[in-house]
Amino acid sequence: MSDVAYLQSLLTAHHDFPKKGIVFLDMFPILRDPIAFETLITHFMHHLTSHTIPLSPAKKIDVVVGLDARGFLFGPIIALRLGAAFVPVRKAGKLPGAVVSAQYEKEYGTDSFEMQADAIKPGQSVIVIDDLMATGGSAKAAGELIAQQGCKTLEYLFIIELEFLKGHEKLDGPVYSIVKSND
Ligand SMILES: O=P(O)(O)OC[C@H]1O[C@H](OP(=O)(O)OP(=O)(O)O)[C@H](O)[C@@H]1O
Ligand SMILES: Nc1ncnc2[nH]cnc12
């Protein structure tokens, strides 16, 4: 079985969670299996070092931005392996000090994201990491916060992309996802 098929086999679908009509894809079984978790990190690192960094104008990644909450579970590991900073984007009201904010709509509701105003510096190379892209609303809001700080998002990375929702069309940068789901 390929690495991607192995990771995909661990994802579990929950119907009508957290709302009727939503098929929720749970990635936590990957984190329960240390070999799968290591495979996930290695897969992202291979993509970043063989594709994203060579194509980046600065030939490096300065900042990994992880989205609340599941992007916090593996974003910091990738940041450490890259020697990059980790910066959280959190749901409104959770971060102290001056923040920048963006409202967004996601597959099952609306929310507001915040980032600390001094967390990234203009011109830094930034990537965004999260577990799943559905409508792309969350990732788009994160991209807006990064743009407000004078940076461009090099790439948006996800474990899972619900391709049929066409979230990539909302984003201002390329998307990389390990597992693509079309139903
Ligand atoms: O592409 P979208 O339609 O915006 O949906 C994707 C977002 O929804 C989920 O997070 P959620 O807001 O449920 O937060 P959680 O990680 O705290 O559970 C998921 O982890 C993404 O962040
Ligand atoms: N269908 C889904 N499964 C898991 N997380 C999600 N976030 C938004 N939509 C989701």
Side-chain angles (χ1 to χ4, degrees):
M1 192 191 278
S2 72
D3 285 356
V4 173
Y6 176 44
L7 294 174
Q8 185 160 16
S9 74
L10 293 175
L11 300 173
T12 42
H14 296 266
H15 290 257
D16 297 325
F17 180 87
K19 282 187 177 166
K20 201 161 172 47
I22 302 289
V23 180
F24 188 92
L25 282 179
D26 183 20
M27 49 73 84
F28 279 118
I30 294 176
L31 273 57
R32 275 182 225 145
D33 173 341
I35 301 218
F37 197 176
E38 188 61 54
T39 301
L40 175 76
I41 300 297
T42 304
H43 191 102
F44 275 130
M45 286 304 297
H46 180 258
H47 171 77
L48 290 165
T49 53
S50 66
H51 178 85
T52 316
I53 293 173
L55 288 183
S56 127
K59 299 283 178 279
K60 64 185 168 77
I61 292 167
D62 298 311
V63 182
V64 176
V65 168
L67 308 194
D68 195 345
R70 285 168 265 158
F72 296 173
L73 300 171
F74 51 99
I77 299 171
I78 290 166
L80 264 181
R81 291 202 186 173
L82 288 171
F86 177 77
V87 168
V89 160
R90 294 215 63 185
K91 306 269 169 73
K94 299 286 186 183
L95 288 169
V99 294
V100 287
S101 318
Q103 293 248 331
Y104 63 96
E105 269 183 51
K106 59 183 176 182
E107 195 184 19
Y108 40 73
T110 56
D111 246 314
S112 181
F113 263 163
E114 291 179 347
M115 181 191 283
Q116 285 171 313
D118 57 356
I120 57 179
K121 301 193 177 27
Q124 286 191 307
S125 319
V126 182
I127 59 168
V128 168
I129 293 214
D130 201 3
D131 65 324
L132 179 143
M133 178 164 69
T135 64
S138 309
K140 178 171 186 276
E144 285 168 10
L145 296 178
I146 291 162
Q148 279 181 48
Q149 313 277 69
C151 294
K152 183 160 167 39
T153 304
L154 277 181
E155 190 167 49
Y156 294 83
L157 297 107
F158 305 94
I159 305 173
I160 312 152
E161 179 181 357
L162 306 187
E163 264 192 327
F164 60 99
L165 292 175
K166 299 194 184 304
H168 63 275
E169 291 178 359
K170 292 198 174 83
L171 304 182
D172 62 354
V175 170
Y176 178 75
S177 53
I178 300 176
V179 174
K180 289 151 188 47
S181 172
N182 272 298
D183 51 30

